[in-house]
Amino acid sequence: MFSKEEAKKLRHDFWIEFKEIYPRKWLLHYTNIKEVSLKFTFNNKIAEVALVADSDDALIQEYYFEKFWSLEKILKTEYFPNIIREADYYDEFRKHSSRVYIQLENVNIYNRKCWEEVQDFLYDNMSKMELFFYEYEDFIKD
């Protein structure tokens, strides 16, 4: 078991190493759509790359989520055969969002032996998620 400080340092070290291996600026929350972002997640159980609709207005959030999912066939055939849809997602802070995401299970940010696999997973899938977003950005915005 790690102390809080050790756990924090390991998480920090992972993201620093990831940035050094893959030195590029990711799209993430710079989508030019206030309610839409791309997110990386890596914790003690899973790694994920997600396209997220997040708004205080439930109708706006649902609108963007439905836009994402209306492209399901394209998402599954051209980008992510195992894409997962989640209309009601609550993060660790109980913040509600809707998302489509790809996940890698049975990995742990506190186990350095997982890091290379997760770094490759995050890079490959975020690259694809960005490509998907750029390709369909106009459709998602309108």
Side-chain angles (χ1 to χ4, degrees):
M1 198 58 131
F2 299 105
S3 70
K4 282 186 176 183
E5 295 78 26
E6 290 169 325
K8 181 178 179 180
K9 180 170 178 5
L10 276 170
R11 290 189 308 271
H12 179 265
D13 289 351
F14 172 82
W15 292 109
I16 293 298
E17 185 176 301
F18 179 72
K19 185 178 178 180
E20 289 171 355
I21 293 169
Y22 298 110
R24 62 171 281 205
K25 184 163 175 71
W26 298 96
L27 180 61
L28 302 177
H29 60 272
Y30 302 107
T31 61
N32 294 320
I33 306 172
K34 179 181 170 191
E35 298 83 3
V36 174
S37 62
L38 284 76
K39 293 189 178 181
F40 287 119
T41 301
F42 182 30
N43 59 35
N44 62 342
K45 296 178 184 169
I46 52 91
E48 292 176 346
V49 171
L51 177 59
V52 179
D54 174 10
S55 176
D56 293 334
D57 184 324
L59 290 175
I60 292 173
Q61 182 170 309
E62 182 179 353
Y63 170 80
Y64 284 114
F65 179 67
E66 290 303 320
K67 285 279 197 160
F68 303 160
W69 203 243
S70 71
L71 299 166
E72 172 190 13
K73 189 170 189 151
I74 294 166
L75 271 166
K76 286 185 173 185
T77 58
E78 295 181 25
Y79 297 92
F80 308 103
N82 299 322
I83 194 86
I84 302 166
R85 162 192 173 150
E86 192 167 19
D88 293 310
Y89 173 73
Y90 293 89
D91 68 14
E92 67 271 18
F93 305 108
R94 301 296 300 154
K95 176 128 175 79
H96 181 256
S97 62
S98 301
R99 66 195 188 133
V100 294
Y101 65 98
I102 187 78
Q103 184 176 81
L104 178 64
E105 297 177 332
N106 300 315
V107 292
N108 188 329
I109 197 164
Y110 304 115
N111 180 353
R112 287 183 181 267
K113 291 177 184 177
C114 297
W115 285 14
E116 183 177 355
E117 176 187 14
V118 171
Q119 288 165 343
D120 291 343
F121 169 83
L122 293 175
Y123 176 79
D124 292 343
N125 288 290
M126 183 57 82
S127 296
K128 285 193 242 176
M129 193 67 81
E130 286 182 335
L131 186 62
F132 167 77
F133 180 81
Y134 284 130
E135 185 72 26
Y136 296 96
E137 179 178 7
D138 291 340
F139 172 77
I140 294 169
K141 279 183 182 177
D142 295 335

